[in-house]
Each structure stands twice: as structure tokens, then as C-alpha cells.
Amino acid sequence: MTTPASSVRAFRARWIVPGDGPPIRDGVLAMAGQLIQYVGPDAGDFPAEDLGNVAILPGLVNSHTHLEFSGLEAPLGQSGMRFTDWIAAVVQHRRARDADGPVERSQAIRRGIIESLGHGVTAIGEISSGDWPTGAVSELPMEGIVFRELLGASPERIEAEHQSARTFLEFDPEAGPAPEQGSPAPVPFSPPSGWLRGLSPHAPYSVHPELLSRAVRLARTFDVPLAMHLAESPEEIELLAERRGPFVPLLESLNAWHPRAIPSGLRPMDILRVLADAPRVLVVHGNYLSDDEIDFLGANSDRMSVVFCPRTHGFFQHRRYPLARMLAAGVRIALGTDSRASTPDLSLLAEMRQVARDYSEIPPARILQMATINGARALGLDGHCGTLVVGKHANLAIVALPDGETDCYESLLASDTPVTATVYRGELIAGF
Ligand SMILES: [Zn+2]
């Protein structure tokens, strides 16, 4: 198929960083319609718009967030606070926000998508605690996975949560909402916005083992990814191992303490073995994984990924993240912002720069991969995005570079220059 010349658009840039090879100095990227047509040196084949001193990166992939908190101006609580105290603050915030209905939540999700576009993000792994506000977001140029959150440590919740998950996955957007007797309307979905579906059993302390097993079975049946918070805090590790510690009064206060949902001596490894039966798994955080658990994730990296959220990690002042250890074990690491309840904004570029500052032993090309192709693979979107390769979607993050002659990655990561434009499927989006 040939493309009319009028629909070809090309950019020249100081650096083009394709993500599957070295950066190209003074390169050209040409797009035909929604797709990349050429990436390489400027051979004069395309009349290119010169963008000057910028780097063109693959559109960034934010593999973990909760957009419903995007209305927050600052994180909840203070840096270094105990994780369980922060959870209590999140629950309180959510209850107050939703007291007047769902509009504020919908608007926060919309605001979060628009903010993400401004930061060069073109795909998102989003955890959704309720209905997806299709009407508020369907026209926005963004894709990703909406992971329906499953919560329920009590045996009584298992059946209802399982049914809600099944309904969520079965819903056919072409057919419209199916009438359901005595249950809430299915979550509406709009395929043109490009969002796909997954499930998120929230965490081992909030999900009954039977509900987790059922979620894994549903993920297999519907061939969708799972995302689960795991090994996030020392308090969680303590609760799983010994059923005690600060989580107990927190869960009691939420009427959600079900000690029998936590088998004695539970370890993250026990959860990883269950999750490993799903077709794709995002282990979110993994801050306190042990060496054997890291090795397990490395051995199963064909379908299991870890999502590191660097600035949220810093907010809680967790122990140093075992990033080099994970890379050595072959773990696929993606990056996420987590939500504005624990990080100041939704900039994945800021997360990359945080990694470069704190983990100077990690090669910068690997940091870029974490923010692009690794996230795309984790979410199952790598067939059409994550690298700048001919035939993939033209999803681009265009980043201003500081003046002066320096190395491409140093210019990009050791500075605080902004994303100046985002391209989604060939469409330039600027003026955020
Ligand atoms: Zn999270």
C-alpha cells in the first residue's frame, strides 16, 4: 500500500533515541499517517521540519498509576511517614472526595491523562477502583490497560468481586451494557480510546487467596494482564510472615482484618508462584523482595515484570531499591509514577532522571528501556509501541535539551529540561 506524500511528516532532531539501538545524532524520523516510516540519518529523502536541540524518544510508558488521585496538588501526608498511616490518609481522602458522587473522580482521571500527555506519556497501566469514565476520557489520545481493582480479604466478598471482575472482562462495547439483575451496571468501555482491560488484585493483605486464584484463572480465560502491589513495605512483609504489626490496627479500623485470609508464614514468593500462572503479570513495587524472589522473577521474565516507582520509593524512604541485583537476575523492570498521592506529578521523565541520579551504576540506555519498551512489554503493547521502529505507531516524546555539546543521555537525564511536545499515532499534541 502506498501512502499519499501529503500525509508524510518528518522531523529532524539533534538526537533520535530509537530504544533498540544507539542514539542517532542529527537524525530524521518520518511518519506516514499513524505509523513510523523511517528512522535514521538525514539522507535528504524527506523534507523534514527541524526541531533543533531536542531528543525524540519513543512515547513513554507509565506502567503504574492511579489516575483518580490526579486532582491532588501535593502528596498526602509527609515524606518518610509510615506506609500504613499513608493508606489511612488515602482511604479518608477517597471517602471525602466521593461523598458528592463520581464527578470529581472522573475529572481527576481526565486531568491525569492530559497531564501525562504533557509529560510525553503515550501509554498507561492504570489501576481503577471503580467505573471507567468513558464519557470524560474517550476522545483523549491515550492508550493503556485499565486494571480493575479487586479488594476483598473476607470470604463473603470473594463471589461478588469475582463476578464484578468477570462482568468487567466480558463487557462487549459493541453490544452496549448488558442488563444485569440486582448488580451494578457493567463498566462501560469505549474501544476508540484504545484502552484494554486487565485485573488488579490489590495486595496480599487485602485479597483473599481464593479471590487471587480466581483472578489468575480469569486472566488466563480472557488472556489479560494482572497487576498486584507486592512486597511494598516492611510492614507488609511482617504482616504476611507473622500476622502482626501496624497493618493489623489499620485493617481493623477499616473493618477489613481477616487473619484467616493470610496463611501462616506467608512470603511474597507464595504469591509470585500463584501469579506466575497468569499470561502477563506486573508486580508493582517489589521493594522488599528477597534474592530468591528476584531470581524467580528473572527466570519468568517472559511474562512477569516488576514496576519500580522511583519517586514514590523516595517519598516513603524505603530501603535502597535492588535495581542492579534485579537487572543481573534478568528481571524486566518497568517504571511507574504511582499516583499523585505519593509523587508530585505524573512525569515519567522525572522518574527516569531520579533513577539516573540515585543509581549511577545503571547504564542510561537501560533506564530509557524501563520507561519505554519494558513497560510496553509488561502491558502487552510492544507489538505497536515502545521503540521507534518502522511500522510501529508514531508515538513520540520530544524533549528539549540543554545548550552545549554533551552526550545524548547526559543531556537528557542530567538536566531538567521539559517535554515540549508529544506525538500520538502521528498526531502532534502540544500546548498542554
Ligand atoms: Zn499503586
Side-chain angles (χ1 to χ4, degrees), residues 134-147:
T134 300
V137 306
S138 62
E139 93 285 9
L140 297 175
M142 181 62 74
E143 68 176 330
I145 309 289
V146 176
F147 292 95

Side-chain angles (χ1 to χ4, degrees), residues 189-205:
F189 247 82
S190 175
S193 66
W195 294 86
L196 301 171
R197 283 165 271 186
L199 297 178
S200 179
H202 172 256
Y205 53 82

